[in-house]
Amino acid sequence: MARAVAAIIADPMADLHLDDLARLAHFSPFHFHRVYAGVVGETVAATLRRVRLALATRLLTGSDESITQVALTVGYDSPQAFTRAFHQFTGQSPRAFRQQMRRAILTADGAVDNDGDDAATPTVEIVERPAQRLHALRHTGSFATIPHTHRQLRLRAGTRAISEKWGASFGNPQYADRFRYYAAVASPDPWPEGSEVETLEIPGGRYAVQRLLGPYTRINAAAQALYTRWMPGSGYEPDDRPTLEHYLDTSSRGIAPAALRTDLLIPIRSASPS
């Protein structure tokens, strides 16, 4: 299954057929489809759609391509079909998503947003957090498939109570060989040793916290804005601890993407004198 997911991520716009993916996984097409859905938690078509729409969020945020061009690039024949799929994925239209992401980047240093949209101007709070122990499953592959890892961790939890849901990033995602991401949960119940689920020790310390309201697809752009816009004039610098995502809704089932709440925590320390 990992080989099939890797093939989708490596070239999401390739003309991928079920037979080709089944061959990579060494299953017959019939059994592959059933096993894939059982392991990954969704169909191949749903994974492919998710990865392509994640690519669309990057194009909308980081390029000047028109909505129509982005739609064509990620495999949609019309901007109308793309807009419907994108809205289901993020809770926003492509145009609204692009505008909000660009406003967030421009206003991450605390400048006033001339559009009068207070939600577009992030409020950063400085907090001291104690050390915390989490149960974590390491993610492999594209950011677009992180929901799969969270889903797998929840399946491994079984009937154990989950009090908090987290994500933890170690290192810079631009350097894949030195970057690690974990889906993680806090749980009062004991977990067996020797499984894929690791014990993750999160050190205490000072964090810059920004609360995000909306789909999880905004997290990467918000983190980039904090590092590049807010941090330089804040009097702080990044510290060598993981960047954290605290998902305040422990389950997103039944919650509209626009209503999801996430605290983004950037580890900081006082800036060294220049």
Side-chain angles (χ1 to χ4, degrees):
M1 294 305 109
R3 286 192 292 269
V5 173
I8 293 172
I9 293 169
D11 190 359
M13 301 316 303
D15 188 16
L16 295 168
H17 296 284
L18 189 64
D19 289 356
D20 299 326
L21 294 172
R23 195 175 301 113
L24 284 172
H26 302 295
F27 280 96
S28 70
F30 173 75
H31 287 102
F32 169 75
H33 182 75
R34 297 179 65 179
V35 173
Y36 185 94
V39 170
V40 178
E42 63 184 8
T43 64
V44 172
T47 298
L48 188 58
R49 182 168 57 251
R50 183 195 300 275
V51 174
R52 288 178 174 177
L53 289 170
L55 172 61
T57 66
R58 295 197 296 274
L59 293 174
L60 290 168
T61 304
S63 79
D64 292 323
E65 292 184 6
S66 67
I67 304 296
T68 299
Q69 184 57 51
V70 171
L72 295 173
T73 299
V74 299
Y76 287 85
D77 294 332
S78 71
Q80 292 80 13
F82 171 62
T83 296
R84 285 194 298 271
F86 193 87
H87 192 279
Q88 290 176 347
F89 183 60
T90 67
Q92 289 182 297
S93 70
R95 188 177 306 280
F97 180 88
R98 167 176 272 172
Q99 290 173 344
Q100 187 163 36
M101 286 298 94
R102 291 186 172 179
R103 284 201 304 269
I105 292 172
L106 290 173
T107 62
D109 56 3
V112 174
D113 182 6
N114 291 329
D115 288 344
D117 182 1
D118 293 338
T121 304
T123 301
V124 178
E125 182 183 3
I126 308 301
V127 301
E128 290 281 347
R129 284 188 51 81
Q132 186 171 14
R133 175 175 294 179
L134 301 173
H135 303 286
L137 185 63
R138 184 169 180 176
H139 172 73
T140 58
S142 164
F143 282 132
T145 59
I146 282 176
H148 301 330
T149 304
H150 281 283
R151 190 178 298 116
Q152 289 302 312
L153 179 59
R154 183 172 288 276
L155 289 174
R156 285 164 171 77
T159 59
R160 296 177 183 87
I162 294 177
S163 55
E164 294 180 335
K165 179 181 174 183
W166 293 84
S169 301
F170 294 77
N172 189 329
Q174 294 182 351
Y175 303 98
D177 59 331
R178 300 198 296 270
F179 178 74
R180 292 175 293 142
Y181 180 90
Y182 291 87
V185 294
S187 172
D189 297 336
W191 289 53
E193 296 182 1
S195 66
E196 290 181 274
V197 178
E198 306 175 30
T199 298
L200 199 61
E201 302 286 352
I202 304 296
R206 188 177 297 174
Y207 286 86
V209 183
Q210 179 190 352
R211 179 156 297 181
L212 307 177
L213 183 64
Y216 299 142
T217 48
R218 299 179 185 175
I219 291 174
N220 289 340
Q224 181 69 10
L226 284 175
Y227 276 112
T228 60
R229 296 284 181 173
W230 176 82
M231 188 79 69
S234 68
Y236 297 100
E237 61 188 18
D239 196 16
D240 297 328
R241 286 174 282 126
T243 297
L244 303 175
E245 302 151 13
H246 184 193
Y247 300 99
L248 301 177
D249 306 293
T250 54
S251 174
S252 58
R253 183 173 299 175
I255 301 176
L260 292 169
R261 300 166 303 144
T262 310
D263 277 351
L264 179 60
L265 294 87
I266 305 294
I268 57 173
R269 62 191 176 209
S270 297
S272 303
S274 56

